[in-house]
Amino acid sequence: MVTTEGNAASKTDAGNFFEDFTLGQVIEHATPRTITEGDRALYGAIYPSRFAIASSAEFAAACGLAPAPVEELIAFHVAFGKTVPDISLNAVANLGYAECRFHRPVVPGDTLRTSSEVIGLKQNSNGRTGVVHVRSTATNQRGETVLDWCRWVMVHKRDADAPAPETVVPDLAAVVDPADLVVPAGLDFTAYDVVAAGEPHRLGDYVVGEKIDHVDGVTLTDPEHMMATRLWQNTAKVHFNTDARPDGRRLVYGGHVISMARALSFNGLANAQLIAAINAGSHVAPAFAGDTVHAWSEVLDTAETPAPGVGALRLRLVATRGRDASMTLRGEDPSTGSGQAAYAEGVLLDLDYWALVPV
């Protein structure tokens, strides 16, 4: 008599724990995903995004992009979602991003697949978790790189007594050099329609150090963030399963907060049409249903590009729980009563990125 007890469990996948990762390990992630116009429509239903290139095929074509690309963050979320079952299914939290570049626009009909290389490992002092650094690359159906990025994530250990690996923390660039930004082929802003775009502000209208309060806010709900996260096929337990966290709350996927803040930034940055790179990003604090997300931006730098009429604007996008009219990123270090080491109360996201804008 053949028994299936024990065999069934071996056919399922509990995901990787910290001790399952090895330096240099390459993981080919499952389930290629084809982007459709439905993704564009659902994205617009979930986030209040109004950027003209992703919204209007006519506007995109006038800027040299036909067919009209979807929002860059759709590609990011889909590519990121592919990595979750192998990298962060057993995560405590996704901690940050660096060296993310968008190499080419994604249009409906493109099929994305993702692979990741483990580039760093560090066990935490508690011995129960560790931080895994990976470099992930998403390609389309022609094998062309669509985007690549680094991220680091805190992952549970399966066995607290498992030996710690040698600590390797990768040296990542603080910012993507403007010379390394990839401008989409054919992009031309010389005949840019500021009326259709929604605001007149061009590259020269922004000053380094300037802060922009995006004013509007959106209250997060469980149905919306869970639907969005499922849309990207992100299977991380903490977003869906109330048993996955001691507090019994569903953690909002950090990418949901990124997209919400990016959409809110339209008010004041309507001409920041395309994200070219994400220099750095930190999910400063967890977000949950019931939190109202507001956003503000700081201009960090400007740069020229070789494309006609196209400049680059480096921005810090900050999402907050509730509106912070003072637009304060950091407060006093609570350990000393001075300095600016700690993030200010209510900060959810600190994202540093390059956007392409008309000159």
Side-chain angles (χ1 to χ4, degrees):
M1 180 177 177
V2 177
T3 177
T4 59
E5 185 175 356
N7 292 338
S10 68
K11 290 184 172 64
T12 61
D13 185 359
N16 290 316
F17 291 84
F18 179 70
E19 59 265 43
D20 297 322
F21 294 100
T22 58
L23 196 66
Q25 178 184 6
V26 175
I27 302 171
E28 298 289 341
H29 304 295
T31 320
R33 170 80 148 68
T34 301
I35 307 301
T36 71
E37 285 291 353
D39 291 300
R40 191 198 305 272
L42 271 173
Y43 191 91
I46 296 168
Y47 308 108
S49 183
R50 292 178 284 158
F51 294 99
I53 282 181
S55 299
S56 166
E58 180 183 7
F59 188 97
C63 294
L65 301 180
V70 298
E71 298 258 4
E72 294 82 9
L73 290 176
I74 290 179
F76 177 80
H77 294 320
V78 168
F80 183 98
K82 302 298 96 188
T83 72
V84 169
D86 301 308
I87 304 298
S88 48
L89 191 64
N90 296 304
V92 179
N94 189 58
L95 300 177
Y97 313 92
E99 297 185 359
C100 174
R101 288 196 305 160
F102 294 85
H103 291 259
R104 50 182 38 81
V106 171
V107 301
D110 281 347
T111 298
L112 305 186
R113 63 189 309 157
T114 311
S115 64
S116 298
E117 179 184 0
V118 179
I119 59 173
L121 294 168
K122 182 181 185 297
Q123 181 166 301
N124 290 328
S125 58
N126 62 19
R128 299 188 299 273
T129 59
V131 177
V132 181
H133 298 254
V134 296
R135 184 182 301 276
S136 299
T137 302
T139 55
N140 61 21
Q141 66 276 17
R142 294 178 294 275
E144 301 164 332
T145 297
V146 171
L147 70 148
D148 56 3
W149 75 99
C150 296
R151 72 162 169 141
W152 47 105
V153 56
M154 187 184 303
V155 181
H156 288 290
K157 291 184 70 175
R158 179 188 293 106
D159 177 6
D161 294 327
E166 177 186 358
T167 295
V168 175
V169 177
D171 184 17
L172 301 174
V175 60
V176 175
D177 191 296
D180 294 330
L181 298 177
V182 181
V183 179
L187 187 66
D188 185 339
F189 282 165
T190 54
Y192 190 87
D193 185 347
V194 295
V195 174
E199 288 179 354
H201 316 303
R202 297 173 180 266
L203 182 68
D205 296 319
Y206 293 95
V207 179
V208 173
E210 176 184 1
K211 291 183 178 180
I212 304 163
D213 182 354
H214 301 303
V215 182
D216 307 304
V218 174
T219 301
L220 303 177
T221 69
D222 267 335
E224 286 179 325
H225 87 77
M226 292 170 68
M227 178 171 64
T229 308
R230 285 199 180 100
L231 180 64
W232 322 128
Q233 297 178 324
N234 181 331
T235 58
K237 303 170 187 176
V238 291
H239 305 316
F240 305 102
N241 185 346
T242 56
D243 294 333
R245 287 174 52 91
D247 61 9
R249 305 173 77 187
R250 300 180 185 93
L251 179 69
V252 173
Y253 162 47
H256 188 69
V257 178
I258 292 175
S259 277
M260 192 64 73
R262 162 70 173 162
L264 292 171
S265 76
F266 178 90
N267 191 349
L269 287 168
N271 293 322
Q273 288 288 348
L274 300 167
I275 299 176
I278 296 174
N279 301 305
S282 296
H283 296 293
V284 176
F288 301 97
D291 290 343
T292 298
V293 175
H294 285 260
W296 57 269
S297 293
E298 180 183 1
V299 178
L300 300 179
D301 201 359
T302 62
E304 298 179 352
T305 81
V310 180
L313 191 61
R314 183 182 169 198
L315 298 160
R316 161 170 276 136
L317 175 61
V318 179
T320 58
R321 182 186 295 107
R323 187 178 178 194
D324 175 17
S326 69
M327 293 180 283
T328 301
L329 182 66
R330 295 184 183 275
E332 291 188 349
D333 185 338
S335 66
T336 64
S338 62
Q340 292 192 339
Y343 278 99
E345 180 70 22
V347 173
L348 297 172
L349 171 74
D350 179 10
L351 191 75
D352 178 338
Y353 71 104
W354 284 105
L356 301 180
V357 301
V359 298

